[in-house]
Amino acid sequence: MTATGYFLLASLSLYATKGADNIAAVWPPSGYFLALLLLMPSRQRIVAFVAMAGASVGANMIEGVPAAAAAAYTVANTAEAIIALWLVRRHNAGEMSFMAPRAVGRFCIAALIASAASAVIATLLTRNGFDFLLSWMTTVGLGMLIVTPPIVMLARMVGSNALNNASTAMKLEGIALLTIAAFITGASFAQSDFPVTFLPCVAVIVAAYRLGPFGAAAGMLIVAIIASLLTGQGYGPIAAMDQGQKVEVLFLQFYLVTMLFIALPLAALLVVQRRLAKRLEQSNRWLLQAEAAALVGHWRVDLVGWTITWSDQTYRVHGLQPGMPVDVDYSVEQYLPDDRVAVRKALEEAVRSGEPFVFQGRIRRADGEIRYVKSHGSIEKGRRGKAVGIFGTVQDVTDTVENARILESARSAAERIANTDMLTGLPNRRHTLAFLDQALRRAVQDGAPLAVAIFDIDHFKAINDQHGHAAGDEVIRRVGQRAKASLRDDDMVGRYGGEEFVCILQGRSALSAELVAERVRKAVHADAEGVAAGLPAVTVSIGLAIFAGEASIEDLLQRADKALYTAKREGRNRLRMAA
């Protein structure tokens, strides 16, 4: 395949379109051979080089080229193929792609370097001049630039079944566009009365726009073949220039190079643009789905035009149909009056400082329902650092707020249960000790006065034995409530255990604490309502300790407890101060 194709293309090129020094205006065999090298497995390349060399020498000698010159040309063509293949593979370890602008640029550079190197080799081997070097470099470079891309892309489309997967309409459109390009090129280069060489450029660009890189490459190949054949036969505007064959060939090459460097990069950029557009469309679709799932919308305020844009989900958050006209003032007015001022202040501060912001407030939806929403936003700045816009998100957090409220209520209830004595409703032992520990810390740090009174019900066992445990429980409850009613809000009374209670008196001097503790004792003793309800009259004994620099609550409680036992030993129903 290598030998046959190379031989036929070389013979046709040498015969049909010849320039100075018997070198064709375009050398398709170079592009054909490079395409085969890019497509074939590496293990087949050595055999391919041998086949190419035989075909090259044969084609040149049949056209009358001396054996020595034919061998020199073959060496140069072999070198260019090696260099071009190495440069392409150096930056593309996998398959060579003509879909990316950077890859197209690297291929063009590789082809130009390889053609320049082979031109130098051919010139040195044949001892020709600069004109020969320039003509060789341009013809070989054009051969690789024009012929290699369409062959590689067509082979890969066939191998990947892309052609089979394409619709019939797409195939017919491709055939029609390339046929039109061939017709326009033939019409433009078959006459010399009108300089319409720009028309094939238009046809190639249309093919590139509709068919992508393959359309550009195939269109270029058609233009190159027809323009080279007709110009070589003396037809067309370029052949009519009457500037000599050398100038005509160079102009034709310049024409083809210019068209090539427009069409191929343009086609690759179109591919990138379409991929980005498709990716953007997909990203927008995912964004809308994510917003709907998360109940999060986005919005943007244009600070220059003072307009606002809402996403569909933002409309739904506000209870509106997507697309309805809204403005900045309307957006702010949806917040309840208490939150509206905070929203305006947050936006103004964000514009002033340029820092991101977050605020939460309540809005009244179009249906009258009040919802909690949370917004995050950031400032968009222009080239000079001036704020030009605000971009933000808005989320309906009503369920979150309600759940948090329920959770907080449940937590508070659980905490109250955990800290409350179920019989008396007073703080239990754990909560009482925690409160005393905090009061002790303040007393140590600030020197605030602190006193602790421990009291228990006198002869409580006899009450249980004579009146029953139900009456005993009611006595405990009544004692706790009478004691609580005798204290200030800053003080605390808690059930310490059984019939024992603890009073924590904050900010009290020794005298004041003694008066309060005595008031508790008298309040319990004078419980006429309890007696009227059938409960026995009870008394309490109290031990009072004034904070004197104790390091722990245990030390302070121990002093109060000793004073309590002193009161009991001395007859009960009395108050005693700790030493």
Side-chain angles (χ1 to χ4, degrees):
M1 184 170 152
T2 300
T4 302
Y6 196 96
F7 178 82
L8 291 176
L9 288 173
S11 299
L12 180 63
S13 299
L14 291 171
Y15 173 78
T17 308
K18 296 182 180 180
D21 296 316
N22 204 37
I23 298 179
V26 178
W27 188 245
S30 295
Y32 172 79
F33 185 50
L34 178 58
L36 293 184
L37 292 175
L38 291 172
L39 292 170
M40 70 176 59
S42 57
R43 63 180 179 275
Q44 296 179 355
R45 288 174 184 157
I46 295 178
V47 177
F49 272 105
V50 174
M52 167 265 177
S56 176
V57 172
N60 278 282
M61 292 184 66
I62 289 175
E63 290 298 323
V65 179
Y73 297 161
T74 300
V75 171
N77 288 137
T78 302
E80 89 203 5
I82 294 173
I83 295 172
L85 180 64
W86 177 76
L87 289 174
V88 170
R89 287 299 183 195
R90 181 184 178 188
H91 296 289
N92 298 280
E95 291 185 346
M96 170 64 198
S97 172
F98 292 96
M99 303 294 180
R102 183 174 297 179
V104 172
R106 288 172 177 171
F107 170 76
C108 294
I109 293 173
L112 294 175
I113 292 175
S115 62
S118 76
V120 172
I121 294 173
T123 302
L124 292 176
L125 292 177
T126 59
R127 298 181 181 180
N128 284 304
F130 177 76
D131 290 342
F132 175 86
L133 183 146
L134 180 62
S135 180
W136 180 286
M137 182 176 67
T138 54
T139 54
V140 168
L142 276 173
M144 289 187 286
L145 291 172
I146 292 176
V147 178
T148 300
I151 295 177
V152 171
M153 283 188 278
L154 180 61
R156 288 183 178 155
M157 283 192 293
V158 172
S160 63
N161 290 324
L163 287 179
N164 294 333
N165 296 331
S167 64
T168 303
M170 184 178 296
K171 293 177 183 178
L172 292 176
E173 181 183 7
I175 295 173
L177 288 174
L178 295 179
T179 302
I180 292 172
F183 176 79
I184 291 176
T185 304
S188 300
F189 281 87
Q191 55 82 39
S192 57
D193 295 332
F194 302 100
V196 289
T197 52
F198 64 89
L199 290 179
C201 298
V202 176
V204 171
I205 290 175
V206 172
Y209 180 77
R210 296 298 301 168
L211 305 178
F214 176 73
M220 272 303 309
L221 181 59
I222 291 172
V223 172
I225 292 173
I226 296 175
S228 299
L229 288 174
L230 292 176
T231 302
Q233 297 301 317
Y235 297 102
I238 295 178
M241 292 171 57
D242 195 21
Q243 295 293 326
Q245 191 178 29
K246 182 188 301 183
V247 175
E248 293 173 4
V249 170
L250 287 175
F251 190 86
L252 176 61
Q253 292 170 337
F254 173 76
Y255 172 79
L256 295 175
V257 167
T258 303
M259 189 186 303
L260 178 74
F261 285 167
I262 292 174
L264 270 184
L266 175 62
L269 288 172
L270 284 173
V271 170
V272 173
Q273 185 267 338
R274 286 167 182 167
R275 286 177 178 173
L276 290 176
K278 187 175 181 180
R279 189 178 303 171
L280 178 61
E281 180 183 359
Q282 186 180 56
S283 298
N284 286 336
R285 185 167 59 253
W286 287 347
L287 174 61
L288 293 177
Q289 292 174 349
E291 286 188 350
L295 301 179
V296 177
H298 68 267
W299 51 268
R300 183 185 182 276
V301 175
D302 183 351
L303 295 176
V304 179
W306 197 239
T307 59
I308 189 169
T309 304
W310 282 3
S311 70
D312 289 353
Q313 185 58 34
T314 303
Y315 279 100
R316 297 188 187 100
V317 169
H318 288 78
L320 298 173
Q321 288 295 325
M324 291 183 61
V326 294
D327 55 30
V328 180
D329 293 334
Y330 175 84
S331 301
V332 177
E333 292 297 325
Q334 297 312 295
Y335 286 88
L336 298 187
D338 293 344
D339 299 331
R340 199 175 299 156
V341 176
V343 171
R344 291 186 184 276
K345 184 177 180 181
L347 293 175
E348 292 171 358
E349 177 62 22
V351 173
R352 185 192 66 79
S353 65
E355 296 296 324
F357 61 91
V358 57
F359 58 80
Q360 180 172 311
R362 297 159 298 166
I363 62 170
R364 188 180 299 277
R365 288 162 42 106
D367 56 8
E369 184 181 1
I370 295 177
R371 306 289 290 181
Y372 287 86
V373 296
K374 188 174 185 179
S375 286
H376 295 261
S378 59
I379 300 300
E380 296 179 9
K381 295 183 179 180
R383 295 180 179 178
R384 298 182 180 179
K386 183 180 179 180
V388 297
I390 309 175
F391 179 84
T393 60
V394 59
Q395 181 179 15
D396 187 331
V397 294
T398 304
D399 292 342
T400 303
V401 172
E402 292 299 328
N403 290 338
R405 184 177 299 166
I406 293 172
L407 183 63
E408 176 62 22
S409 177
R411 188 197 64 80
S412 299
E415 185 175 351
R416 284 195 302 271
I417 293 173
N419 293 329
T420 303
D421 176 63
M422 292 297 99
L423 177 61
T424 63
L426 299 176
N428 58 16
R429 179 187 181 93
R430 185 179 70 87
H431 186 44
T432 301
L433 293 178
F435 186 87
L436 178 57
D437 185 66
Q438 294 178 357
L440 183 65
R441 292 176 185 273
R442 287 192 293 269
V444 172
Q445 294 173 0
D446 305 332
L450 175 65
V452 175
I454 298 180
F455 66 91
D456 68 3
I457 302 171
D458 296 329
H459 304 295
F460 183 72
K461 184 176 183 303
I463 294 174
N464 271 339
D465 293 341
Q466 296 174 14
H467 301 277
H469 289 283
D473 290 343
E474 184 61 22
V475 167
I476 292 175
R477 190 185 66 79
R478 290 287 299 175
V479 168
Q481 294 304 316
R482 299 286 289 179
K484 181 179 179 181
S486 303
L487 302 179
R488 302 178 310 176
D489 292 338
D490 292 342
D491 300 328
M492 173 191 276
V493 58
R495 187 181 179 190
Y496 198 55
E499 73 277 14
E500 194 171 32
F501 296 83
V502 171
C503 286
I504 302 170
L505 309 175
Q506 302 184 90
R508 302 279 191 176
S509 63
L511 178 59
S512 176
E514 186 176 7
L515 292 175
V516 172
E518 182 62 20
R519 186 164 67 241
V520 169
R521 187 192 68 78
K522 290 180 179 180
V524 173
H525 182 61
D527 185 12
E529 292 181 5
V531 174
L535 295 176
V538 296
T539 60
V540 294
S541 299
I542 302 177
L544 178 65
I546 307 300
F547 172 68
E550 283 82 3
S552 66
I553 60 175
E554 288 78 10
D555 294 340
L556 185 58
L557 288 171
Q558 187 176 14
R559 289 180 54 225
D561 195 52
K562 288 181 179 180
L564 170 62
Y565 278 98
T566 300
K568 285 185 174 293
R569 285 195 307 268
E570 294 181 359
R572 293 182 173 84
N573 190 24
R574 64 195 63 212
L575 167 68
R576 290 292 178 263
M577 293 281 293

